[in-house]
Amino acid sequence: MTPDEIENAVNAGMPRAVDDLKRLVAIPSVAFPGHPEEPVLAAAAMTEELLRSAGLPHVRRIPVDGSFPAVYAEAPAPPGAPTVLLYAHYDVQPAGDPALWRTPAFEPTEIDGAVYGRGAADDKSGVISHVAALRAFQGRFPVGVKVIIEGQEEYAGERLEAFVERNPELLRADAIVVADTGNPKVGDPSVTTSLRGMGAFTVEVRTLKESLHSGSFGGAAPDALAALIRMLAALHDDHGDIRVPGLPRGTFLGSGPSEEEFRATAGVLDGVSLVGSGSLADRLWASYAITVTGLDVPTVSGAINAVQSVARARVTVRVPPAGDPKTTVEAVVDFLRQVAPWGVQVDVGDYTVGSGYLADSGGAARTALNRAMEHAFGRPPRDVGAGGSIPLVSTFARQFPAATILLFGAEDDDASIHAPNERVDLGELHRTVLAEALFLQEYASATS
């Protein structure tokens, strides 16, 4: 097919694609413990239906140990053509507080050219991008196609990692498209070439056999909460740079957002400074970051006049692509033990680690994607990083070192993924679908 024929086919198919997106978003496929399983399985069934509608001859659900089923599909490669693996996930984050949503989280609502709803961007837009791009070919694909759509990425994505490691031949491909990312802003074509890894742990501080009356014992009895606060505050200096030895600031070679763009996207309040030093690209994509993501302490509403005997915190560390998450977490834990005051007892557990990823920006697949995105967006893409982690990408890289991994999609930075009022811009979705369809044709032509 010519680029014009592909574009016409994509344009004609977008109304159907938007309707399919709304149907999929309406399913509350939250694969977290405590949420009903039936909607997650319903989303798997609909994903299977959608892939069949895309002309793929072999579609099936496959079990994943300890997880919801993945949906797998494939079409054989024409003689001499490469094979492309397409990845996305059909599960979503919990909706959170309904009062914070302007429209109901699982009642997809179209407003001003965008569809609002939980999962509209992350990552049901990825599922629809693959389906709509494949439909353009009406079953006559220029490359071999494999599709894997998982069902528990948001809560337990490492389970699909284990599946990939046990079934490499099922998923082996020459290029892998991961549709679980996006552009910094709508209409700004970008390919994510850098992902930070991550580590997390829970630290617990104990000082007393039990909490004590602050009037009778305060001033002499060691407060576990005060000790934990001192330890956590010691992780950063006054500028917000990390004080843990061995975790230097990195350098990102591409361009990042301006301070004005970042402040607007992040919603930084007037008069509040950004933290850290170096360029924003360095801080966000190539350097370590430590965040306290949770505290187990008395709430303000439930506070009593007591010196606390125990306090806990959940700490997350983002790790540059070249860094090692395990040794990074060990360095942070060692530092916390060193700065712990008053001889308090420190216990650390519940570790989680995931590797980062740094892509090669060359090769036939990337060149084909550059051409496809330039056609779809009107200008060639630039390289960007992502501060978040997609551990499955590093698994793909280990299992298929010869494959080119391409990360792009419709999740722009204003999409509010994981937050209230998540949305996907339909123009961005359209351009992403067109770019993916053109890529499949360009890649076939480049390797013929």
Side-chain angles (χ1 to χ4, degrees):
M1 295 177 69
T2 67
D4 286 344
E5 289 172 332
I6 291 173
E7 185 166 6
N8 290 337
V10 167
N11 293 347
M14 282 309 297
R16 181 185 181 187
V18 173
D19 287 343
D20 288 335
L21 175 66
K22 292 177 180 178
R23 287 199 298 135
L24 194 56
V25 172
I27 301 173
S29 51
V30 179
F32 279 60
H35 291 262
E37 295 186 359
E38 290 81 4
V40 186
L41 297 174
M46 184 176 171
T47 299
E48 185 176 359
E49 168 206 322
L50 291 170
L51 291 175
R52 291 188 190 281
S53 77
L56 293 158
H58 307 291
V59 183
R60 60 190 170 99
R61 272 176 273 182
I62 53 178
V64 176
D65 289 346
S67 183
F68 289 93
V71 184
Y72 178 78
E74 63 179 328
T83 294
V84 178
L85 173 65
L86 308 176
Y87 166 86
H89 62 88
Y90 64 79
D91 66 305
V92 300
Q93 283 279 328
D97 186 353
L100 299 178
W101 286 78
R102 290 187 288 273
T103 60
F106 294 108
E107 294 180 18
T109 306
E110 187 171 343
I111 303 172
D112 295 333
V115 169
Y116 287 78
R118 171 58 82 230
D122 183 18
D123 184 32
K124 292 176 178 178
S125 72
V127 177
I128 297 302
S129 293
H130 294 328
V131 169
L134 293 173
R135 282 176 179 163
F137 296 98
Q138 299 181 331
R140 298 185 296 274
F141 307 116
V143 296
V145 176
K146 296 181 178 181
V147 185
I148 185 79
I149 311 293
E150 73 168 307
Q152 205 168 19
E153 189 272 347
E154 297 291 6
Y155 178 74
E158 71 275 4
R159 293 169 187 170
L160 188 68
E161 294 176 57
F163 176 86
V164 173
E165 291 169 352
R166 289 193 300 269
N167 300 274
E169 291 310 312
L170 186 70
L171 302 174
R172 190 176 302 280
D174 300 290
I176 301 171
V177 174
V178 177
D180 194 12
T181 181
N183 298 326
K185 55 186 177 181
V186 169
D188 179 14
S190 307
V191 179
T192 300
T193 58
S194 174
L195 294 171
R196 287 194 293 196
M198 66 88 66
F201 59 89
T202 299
V203 56
E204 180 180 273
V205 173
R206 287 187 175 272
T207 56
L208 305 164
K209 292 181 180 179
E210 58 185 21
S211 297
L212 301 170
H213 190 286
S214 59
S216 301
F217 295 94
D223 186 333
L225 178 54
L228 179 60
I229 290 171
R230 288 168 62 106
M231 293 161 61
L232 298 175
L235 291 169
H236 299 87
D237 64 20
D238 290 344
H239 300 289
D241 286 314
I242 292 173
R243 294 183 60 229
V244 179
L247 306 185
R249 186 175 69 246
T251 301
F252 186 80
L253 298 180
S255 60
S258 67
E259 181 169 336
E260 292 73 19
E261 291 171 334
F262 180 80
R263 292 181 70 92
T265 300
V268 180
L269 300 179
D270 291 343
V272 178
S273 300
L274 303 186
V275 298
S277 56
S279 74
L280 280 170
D282 294 346
R283 280 178 271 177
L284 296 171
W285 303 331
S287 297
Y288 297 88
I290 303 176
T291 305
V292 179
T293 57
L295 286 170
D296 281 346
V297 296
T299 63
V300 172
S301 61
I304 59 174
N305 294 325
V307 178
Q308 299 300 317
S309 61
V310 60
R312 299 198 311 162
R314 185 69 174 168
V315 180
T316 298
V317 187
R318 298 295 175 170
V319 183
D324 178 66
K326 184 175 183 294
T327 58
T328 298
V329 167
E330 290 172 350
V332 176
V333 169
D334 287 346
F335 182 82
L336 287 172
R337 292 187 186 279
Q338 291 169 16
V339 299
W342 316 324
V344 301
Q345 296 180 6
V346 178
D347 185 53
V348 182
D350 196 13
Y351 291 94
T352 300
V353 294
S355 298
Y357 173 71
L358 186 63
D360 184 350
S361 60
R366 176 58 196 271
T367 300
L369 180 60
N370 290 347
R371 289 171 59 87
M373 294 188 79
E374 183 171 9
H375 184 117
F377 286 85
R379 62 178 186 268
R382 60 191 178 97
D383 290 357
V384 298
S389 304
I390 309 177
L392 180 64
V393 172
S394 61
T395 301
F396 281 148
R398 287 195 308 272
Q399 290 294 314
F400 313 119
T404 301
I405 302 176
L406 303 167
L407 291 92
F408 67 99
E411 303 174 18
D412 70 277
D413 284 357
D414 290 321
S416 296
I417 66 172
H418 295 204
N421 306 304
E422 180 179 354
R423 66 100 179 101
V424 64
D425 181 274
L426 293 179
E428 194 80 340
L429 178 64
H430 188 169
R431 289 183 288 271
T432 300
V433 171
L434 178 57
E436 183 170 323
L438 290 168
F439 160 72
L440 297 177
Q441 185 67 61
E442 289 279 354
Y443 189 34
S445 300
T447 55
S448 61

